[in-house]
């Protein structure tokens, strides 16, 4: 069994931020702080994103603490550019990351935690969970979903528009990913867009600090009450970027309400309308990847985890970063610092 004071699970933006601050605040590498990452290489979820997603397309990533994001011309593939930045960062600060290691469960063992993985067992005094959402794509169930003879995929499985050339693609979901993928798929295929709610479009310019504060306040309100966090779009609304304007002019964003059921060759609405499609792309988001924490019984009856800052209320030595209000690159950085500072005060003796 291997031991450490603070075990960080996940080496994406939030996990790297936490590791950086923990080392800076006095935790020694490996026996003081250790990071386990299930990915084969640095880069977090960014390494798995589709090839057509460029740095021009992303909404921006925040600087990791201590090193700014390199200058980008915009055309670089995000799944190469960001992982390269993360890899350089890990090496620069000699962060104690071990990969690939898949954490299977976290259990209490008196005043410590036993962390079982696919390789070893670890013992820790505190847990910083930074696993994000990428490994838990969400596809809602609809009657007939198992009968569809075409292709069904989630945005996590998307590789580019060319695989849908000359097909009819049904895109399900009302988030930013759906808007982006509709634009590029519609250039090579016929598309139909369905959402549960009527999309709310923003026309007030770029995302700014005031809106950012509003988002964080809304999400914090939910997690303090132990409710599952909602999507960012439910607070911000949708906005078309320059590269999506042509698709808008073509009528690509004419939205239909959700269908009632899925048929072998398409979908059917409650009013009897049917549509034959070749593929269904579920742009329906992700859920927090927290299954390995189930033995700790952190969830409320409502399904969420009650939070006090980054600490879980039911187990204050377990910190969740990149969850709820910190589920963004900027939020992940701030949460990493907050968790590190609280754990320093808790675990490191003050010099006389």
């Amino acid at each position: 069994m291997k031991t450490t004071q603070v075990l960080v699970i996940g080496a994406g933006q939030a996990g790297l931020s936490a590791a950086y601050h923990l080392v800076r605040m006095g935790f020694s590498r490996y026996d003081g702080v250790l990071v386990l990452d299930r990915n084969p290489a640095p880069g977090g979820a960014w390494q798995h994103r589709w090839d057509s997603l460029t740095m021009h397309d992303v909404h921006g990533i925040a600087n990791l603490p201590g090193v700014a994001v390199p200058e980008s011309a915009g055309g670089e593939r995000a799944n190469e550019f960001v992982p390269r930045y993360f890899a350089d960062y890990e090496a620069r600060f000699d962060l104690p990351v071990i990969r690939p290691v898949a954490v299977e469960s976290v259990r209490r063992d008196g005043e410590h935690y036993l962390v079982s993985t696919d390789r070893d067992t670890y013992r820790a005094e505190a847990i910083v969970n930074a696993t994000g959402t990428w490994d838990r794509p969400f596809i809602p169930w609809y009657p007939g979903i198992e009968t569809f003879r075409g292709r069904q995929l989630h945005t996590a499985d998307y590789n580019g528009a060319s695989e849908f050339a000359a097909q009819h693609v049904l895109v399900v979901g009302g988030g930013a990913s759906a808007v982006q993928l509709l634009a590029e798929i519609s250039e090579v295929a016929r598309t139909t867009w369905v959402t549960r709610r009527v999309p709310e479009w923003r026309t007030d310019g770029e995302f700014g600090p005031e809106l950012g504060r509003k988002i964080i306040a809304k999400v914090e309100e939910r997690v303090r009450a132990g409710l599952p966090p909602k999507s960012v779009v439910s607070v911000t609304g949708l906005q078309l970027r320059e590269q999506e304007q042509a698709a808008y002019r073509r009528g690509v964003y004419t939205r239909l309400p959700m269908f009632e059921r899925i048929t072998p060759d398409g979908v059917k609405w409650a009013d009897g309308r049917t549509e034959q499609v070749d593929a269904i792309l579920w742009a329906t988001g992700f859920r927090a990847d927290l299954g390995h924490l189930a033995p700790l019984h952190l969830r409320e009856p409502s399904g969420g985890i009650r939070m006090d800052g980054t600490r879980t209320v039911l187990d204050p030595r377990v910190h969740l970063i990149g969850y709820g209000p910190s589920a963004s690159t900027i939020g992940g950085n701030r949460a990493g610092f907050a968790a590190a500072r609280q754990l320093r005060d808790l675990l490191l003796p003050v010099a006389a």
Side-chain angles (χ1 to χ4, degrees):
M1 184 181 298
K2 301 182 178 181
T3 63
T4 188
Q5 287 181 282
V6 182
L7 187 71
V8 180
I9 306 174
Q13 183 104 16
L16 293 182
S17 174
Y20 169 87
H21 288 298
L22 286 163
V23 170
R24 296 267 293 184
M25 291 180 189
F27 287 89
S28 59
R29 293 172 175 83
Y30 295 100
D31 60 346
V33 56
L34 180 65
V35 185
L36 302 181
D37 185 39
R38 71 182 305 164
N39 288 295
W46 289 97
Q47 64 194 280
H48 305 300
R49 298 189 188 274
W50 50 94
D51 290 348
S52 59
L53 183 71
T54 68
M55 294 305 294
H56 179 60
D57 296 317
V58 302
H59 294 292
I61 61 171
N63 298 329
L64 283 162
V67 180
V69 179
E71 289 293 324
S72 168
E76 302 95 332
R77 282 169 43 177
N79 61 11
E80 294 179 346
F81 183 91
V82 180
R84 187 164 56 248
Y85 171 46
F86 282 17
D88 291 344
Y89 188 84
E90 288 183 21
R92 178 189 293 252
F93 294 107
D94 190 24
L95 296 181
V97 182
I98 300 177
R99 62 169 58 88
V101 180
V103 173
E104 297 170 345
S105 67
V106 180
R107 301 177 183 277
R108 285 301 298 256
D109 180 30
E111 295 300 311
H112 293 79
Y113 301 88
L114 289 182
V115 180
S116 299
T117 77
D118 60 349
R119 292 175 54 177
D120 298 295
T121 299
Y122 295 83
R123 183 181 176 91
E125 297 176 46
I127 301 294
V128 176
N129 192 85
T131 46
T133 63
W134 185 262
D135 290 313
R136 281 203 64 204
F138 173 69
I139 296 180
W141 182 86
Y142 280 89
I145 190 170
E146 71 284 351
T147 69
F148 183 62
R149 291 191 291 256
R151 182 185 178 195
Q152 296 190 63
L153 71 160
H154 190 272
T155 49
D157 307 307
Y158 179 76
N159 291 315
S162 60
E163 59 187 335
F164 301 110
Q167 296 184 15
H168 183 185
V169 182
L170 182 76
V171 178
V172 184
S177 292
V179 171
Q180 179 197 336
L181 298 185
L182 277 162
E184 56 185 69
I185 293 172
S186 66
E187 293 182 354
V188 300
R190 178 187 170 199
T191 59
T192 297
W193 186 27
V194 296
T195 68
R196 285 193 300 119
R197 291 183 292 271
V198 177
E200 294 186 16
W201 297 96
R202 284 180 50 229
T203 57
D204 55 351
E206 291 295 320
F207 184 98
E210 183 176 349
L211 182 57
R213 287 190 290 270
K214 177 182 177 182
I215 294 168
I216 291 173
K218 287 280 189 183
V219 181
E220 280 184 340
E221 181 181 339
R222 289 186 63 83
V223 298
R224 282 185 178 275
L227 298 171
K230 285 187 173 181
S231 69
V232 171
V233 169
S234 66
V235 181
T236 65
L238 292 167
Q239 186 173 37
L240 291 177
R241 299 167 302 166
E242 179 183 350
Q243 57 266 48
E244 291 148 0
Q245 295 295 333
Y248 175 78
R249 291 191 291 270
R250 295 197 308 269
V252 169
Y253 299 116
T254 300
R255 165 261 181 193
L256 295 177
M258 281 303 299
F259 45 80
E260 182 181 62
R261 65 178 298 108
I262 299 173
T263 66
D265 59 2
V267 291
K268 182 177 182 179
W269 281 264
D271 62 4
R273 172 180 175 171
T274 61
E275 195 78 63
Q276 292 187 353
V277 299
D278 300 294
I280 301 175
L281 175 57
W282 297 95
T284 42
F286 299 79
R287 298 293 184 264
D289 183 17
L290 302 175
H292 52 286
L293 301 182
L296 300 177
H297 304 292
L298 301 174
R299 289 195 181 276
E300 301 287 333
S302 59
I305 296 177
R306 192 180 300 271
M307 302 293 297
D308 178 13
T310 63
R311 295 180 295 187
T312 64
V313 170
L314 294 179
D315 198 335
R317 288 196 181 198
V318 177
H319 290 249
L320 304 186
I321 59 178
Y323 174 82
S326 63
S328 67
T329 56
I330 294 176
N333 277 353
R334 293 171 178 167
F337 173 76
R341 182 173 56 184
Q342 291 180 58
L343 291 172
R344 175 201 61 191
D345 295 344
L346 178 68
L347 299 178
L348 291 185
V350 178

